[in-house]
Amino acid sequence: MRASSSTSSFTASQPDEPPHDKTDPLHTEAEAPSHVPSSSSVPPATLVLVATPIGNLGDFSPRGAEALASAELVLCEDTRTTARLLTDRGISARTEALHEHNERQRVPALVARLQAGARIALVSDAGMPLLSDPGYRLVRAAIEAGITVTAVPGPNAALTALVLSGLPPYPFLFAGFPPPRSAARREAFARLHAAERAGLGATLIWHEAPHRLADTLHDMAAVFGPERPAAVARELTKRFEEIRRGSVSELAAFYTETAPRGEITLLLGPAPEESASADDLDTTLKTLLATHSVKDAAALAAAAAGLPKRIVYARALELASQPKN
């Protein structure tokens, strides 16, 4: 199977676009009408999670606009990015930053404000908050404090990529970003591959940075096998949207030669049923032995595969004693 791609007809002959700044991920395809929302969208003492566009401002819902306009405070991953969205909808709202570097410190004061009756909305730069974005600590603290937490659903890159990939849409497992370093990345992949041997059969989904995509695909081929079906979704909902489909090895070869740009979602098709074999256990153990002791590698592989530790440990000893190429 050769890697293939699909693009919108009006972009097929266009050259690639320049890289997008992370602080400016939104792209307007057409002018959207100004929206003047009501003031009662969010009840008092409520934290509302609001999905924002993943690339096209036209995808922002009226309910989302109402929720932001009626909130006393809008918490943003980056206030500059959210300011563009608010301006597009003619919304005047107070914004403050909530990101991975300050969330832990800000949570107590924000919960206190909610308990005092404040309406607070939470957005990320793009997509649904919390999914590879900040906000989980605040949501957990609000729930534990008995505060109402609700959501305005909307665009999501992982789900959009899933339905466009041509891979089985369910079950699926979203794993966020793979580790940035190859050794840790292969270990994370080995855990998932061992889980597949124990019966996991799902389409796997990750986000990935453009400059790491080729290396990640090569690591994926080494752990999961080069012929597994996969897909790379790039610049979803934007002008140069592209879905490239093929085997993992074909995609790895393509992106080794063609540097990708933009926001990327990476998908791997489910393991075939016959994947639960001794060869796959060996692949998992060999990957883990590269970064772990024999004892630790055997324990991880046995736990993920649901096999007796003594059997897996014996095989790990055999593999560890074999001469390396």
Side-chain angles (χ1 to χ4, degrees):
M1 177 174 67
R2 298 184 62 186
S4 64
S5 67
S6 65
T7 60
S8 301
S9 60
F10 64 90
T11 67
S13 62
Q14 297 291 335
D16 212 340
E17 78 286 14
H20 289 274
D21 191 321
K22 186 178 187 299
T23 62
D24 186 25
L26 302 175
H27 178 84
T28 305
E29 291 292 326
E31 292 298 323
S34 177
H35 182 77
V36 182
S38 66
S39 61
S40 60
S41 175
V42 181
T46 298
L47 174 64
V48 57
L49 316 179
V50 181
T52 56
I54 60 175
N56 190 316
L57 285 172
D59 293 337
F60 193 44
S61 72
R63 263 195 76 212
E66 291 173 3
L68 297 189
S70 61
E72 298 170 29
L73 173 64
V74 178
L75 299 172
C76 318
E77 186 178 3
D78 189 312
T79 56
R80 295 167 295 178
T81 300
T82 303
R84 181 179 178 188
L85 180 64
L86 296 176
T87 300
D88 185 79
R89 288 298 186 270
I91 298 171
S92 177
R94 179 182 175 185
T95 61
E96 293 180 5
L98 184 78
H99 46 69
E100 59 181 337
H101 302 296
N102 72 357
E103 183 179 0
R104 188 185 298 275
Q105 293 75 24
R106 296 213 59 197
V107 163
L110 290 170
V111 169
R113 291 188 63 174
L114 287 162
Q115 289 174 320
R119 300 181 179 97
I120 297 180
L122 171 66
V123 300
S124 61
D125 284 349
M128 197 70 193
L130 277 67
L131 299 180
S132 293
D133 290 321
Y136 175 71
R137 291 188 180 93
L138 176 58
V139 168
R140 285 299 312 165
I143 292 171
E144 291 171 1
I147 295 164
T148 299
V149 180
T150 187
V152 178
N156 178 275
L159 293 180
T160 303
L162 177 63
V163 299
L164 294 176
S165 68
L167 300 171
Y170 59 86
F172 69 87
L173 190 157
F174 174 63
F177 280 86
R181 296 187 181 277
S182 181
R185 192 162 54 231
R186 289 196 178 204
E187 178 183 342
F189 290 163
R191 289 174 182 266
L192 287 170
H193 192 46
E196 290 178 335
R197 292 195 66 258
L200 174 67
T203 296
L204 307 178
I205 309 173
W206 297 266
H207 295 319
E208 186 53 291
H211 65 280
R212 289 197 295 264
L213 179 61
D215 290 340
T216 295
L217 285 164
H218 283 292
D219 288 341
M220 191 176 290
V223 175
F224 293 103
E227 299 307 315
R228 284 280 286 273
V232 173
R234 190 179 67 83
E235 292 292 85
L236 292 171
T237 77
K238 299 178 185 177
R239 184 179 181 187
F240 295 100
E241 175 181 296
E242 178 184 59
I243 313 295
R244 188 167 292 275
R245 309 172 183 91
S247 69
V248 175
S249 60
E250 289 167 341
L251 293 172
F254 178 82
Y255 286 109
T256 298
E257 298 296 327
T258 308
R261 296 175 177 176
E263 305 290 330
I264 290 170
T265 303
L266 173 60
L267 306 96
L268 182 72
E273 292 184 3
E274 62 271 18
S275 67
S277 66
D279 289 341
D280 287 319
L281 176 60
D282 284 1
T283 299
T284 300
L285 284 171
K286 288 176 182 177
T287 303
L288 289 171
L289 286 168
T291 54
H292 291 74
S293 67
V294 172
K295 180 180 178 181
D296 290 342
L300 287 170
L307 297 173
K309 288 184 180 180
R310 59 183 180 84
I311 295 177
V312 178
Y313 182 75
R315 182 56 182 160
L317 281 174
E318 294 176 3
L319 294 174
S321 65
Q322 294 176 358
K324 295 181 173 59
N325 293 329

